């Protein structure tokens, strides 16, 4: 009797099942990514694990053309769009409130710019240009937020102001000018070392006592004049003089 030959085993069928499983897993991760904000570096690692031979992982893993309220991986505080200058004000305001500095920091949002006023005691002790530890903490947060929208920022001007100590006698010009300039320069240098913003977009200006926002008659008014201001302008905005910015804010 002729023996019946055994059917050959289908050695490739398990590969089909494995391939389907991998595809489903990839779809699952894509779904998770589409409905949540994830860290960009971690997402790239996930994609690389499924595409080990891919040459340009960044094109697979990121989408820099997000629209509407889509969140972009790697953003600051719930994923700021790198071009979302309008969201900068809300982020900075939240940082001020979280730091408990609402009484010492004023924020104003205008057409194409955000203006921030820090009372002098936030960053510096009297007659000092060394940034205090608590001042460094808030600047760290500001630098992180600014980095999230660096593409849409035209320029950041840091403006240092002093106040006339004696209502009847102007300050010594050299001491007055140098102190305000040093304070502005130190804030700029601090931000530059902690942000991805191009250095040429950072400008330090020392005005001394000559751009007061209050009189020199009372101690309360003199305290208002001692301040550091940040003027952050949008890349396509129209430039104005400092006096024009003040006028716009005072009209509100």
């Amino acid at each position: 009797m002729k023996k019946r030959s055994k059917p050959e085993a289908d050695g490739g069928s398990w590969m089909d099942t494995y391939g389907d499983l991998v595809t489903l897993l990839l779809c699952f991760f894509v779904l998770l990514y589409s409905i949540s904000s994830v860290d960009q570096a971690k997402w790239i690692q996930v994609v690389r694990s499924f595409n080990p031979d891919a040459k340009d992982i960044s094109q697979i893993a990121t989408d820099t053309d997000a629209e509407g309220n889509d969140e972009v991986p790697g953003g600051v505080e719930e994923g700021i769009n790198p071009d979302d200058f309008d969201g900068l004000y809300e982020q900075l305001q939240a940082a001020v409130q979280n730091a408990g500095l609402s009484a010492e920091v004023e924020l104003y949002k205008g057409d194409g710019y955000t203006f921030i006023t820090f009372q002098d005691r936030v960053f510096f002790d009297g007659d000092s240009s060394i940034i205090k530890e608590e001042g460094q903490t808030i600047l760290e947060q500001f630098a992180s937020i600014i980095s999230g929208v660096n593409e849409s920022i035209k320029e950041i001007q840091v403006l240092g102001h002093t106040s006339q100590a004696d209502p009847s006698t102007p300050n010594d010009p050299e001491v007055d000018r140098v102190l305000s300039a040093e304070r502005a320069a130190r804030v700029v240098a601090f931000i530059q070392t902690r942000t991805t913003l191009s250095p040429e977009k950072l400008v330090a200006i020392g005005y001394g006592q000559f751009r007061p926002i209050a009189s020199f008659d009372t101690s309360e008014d003199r305290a208002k004049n001692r301040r550091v201001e940040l003027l952050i302008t949008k890349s396509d905005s129209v430039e104005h003089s400092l006096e024009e910015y003040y006028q716009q804010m005072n009209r509100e």
Side-chain angles (χ1 to χ4, degrees):
M1 184 190 304
K2 189 176 180 180
K3 292 185 178 180
R4 183 182 298 175
S5 60
K6 294 182 179 180
E8 295 182 1
D10 187 0
S13 60
W14 71 273
M15 290 291 292
D16 295 334
T17 303
Y18 177 76
D20 291 340
L21 176 61
V22 171
T23 301
L24 288 173
L25 284 174
L26 180 58
C27 291
F28 174 70
F29 282 114
V30 170
L31 177 62
L32 289 179
Y33 172 66
S34 66
I35 62 175
S36 64
S37 176
V38 298
D39 182 81
Q40 183 176 1
K42 292 181 179 178
W43 175 246
I44 289 177
Q45 292 177 2
V46 171
V47 176
R48 193 185 299 277
S49 67
F50 290 107
N51 300 269
D53 298 325
K55 295 181 179 180
D56 193 352
I57 295 296
S58 62
Q59 291 185 0
I60 302 174
T62 62
D63 176 11
T64 58
D65 295 325
E67 299 178 353
N69 295 323
D70 292 346
E71 295 178 338
V72 177
V76 181
E77 298 224 5
E78 300 181 358
I80 301 179
N81 188 314
D83 296 322
D84 186 13
F85 185 89
D86 294 333
L88 177 63
Y89 174 83
E90 286 73 18
Q91 294 288 329
L92 295 175
Q93 190 175 51
V96 170
Q97 293 175 350
N98 292 337
L101 294 174
S102 298
E104 290 83 12
V105 182
E106 297 180 4
L107 290 94
Y108 177 87
K109 180 180 179 181
D111 184 15
Y113 70 94
T114 295
F115 201 97
I116 313 165
T117 300
F118 296 89
Q119 291 300 314
D120 186 55
R121 60 181 177 271
V122 174
F123 292 144
F124 307 103
D125 291 321
D127 297 326
S128 172
S129 62
I130 304 300
I131 303 176
K132 298 191 297 185
E133 185 175 345
E134 52 266 38
Q136 294 182 24
T137 300
I138 189 65
L139 278 179
E140 289 271 10
Q141 297 181 45
F142 273 52
S144 177
I145 295 170
I146 290 167
S147 294
V149 292
N150 59 40
E151 296 177 14
S152 62
I153 290 178
K154 181 178 185 178
E155 188 175 72
I156 297 180
Q157 294 183 23
V158 179
L159 318 175
H161 301 270
T162 60
S163 184
Q164 189 168 306
D166 185 338
S168 60
T169 305
N171 296 335
D172 177 85
E174 183 174 354
V175 174
D176 187 64
R177 293 283 190 177
V178 169
L179 179 60
S180 64
E182 283 186 349
R183 287 178 169 179
R186 288 188 183 275
V187 172
V188 163
F190 189 94
I191 294 174
Q192 180 177 331
T193 59
R194 290 161 175 82
T195 182
T196 58
L197 196 71
S198 299
E200 64 269 17
K201 292 184 178 182
L202 292 166
V203 180
I205 304 174
Y207 283 109
Q209 68 172 75
F210 301 106
R211 292 293 191 281
I213 56 175
S215 70
F216 300 121
D217 297 334
T218 66
S219 58
E220 290 80 9
D221 283 344
R222 290 195 293 272
K224 293 178 182 178
N225 292 327
R226 300 186 188 98
R227 65 199 190 278
V228 173
E229 298 170 327
L230 267 68
L231 173 58
I232 310 173
T233 52
K234 193 175 181 180
S235 57
D236 58 352
S237 63
V238 177
E239 292 187 26
H240 300 283
S241 67
L242 184 60
E243 286 72 19
E244 289 175 314
Y245 286 116
Y246 284 156
Q247 290 174 4
Q248 292 180 27
M249 289 185 290
N250 290 333
R251 282 199 295 266
E252 295 295 324

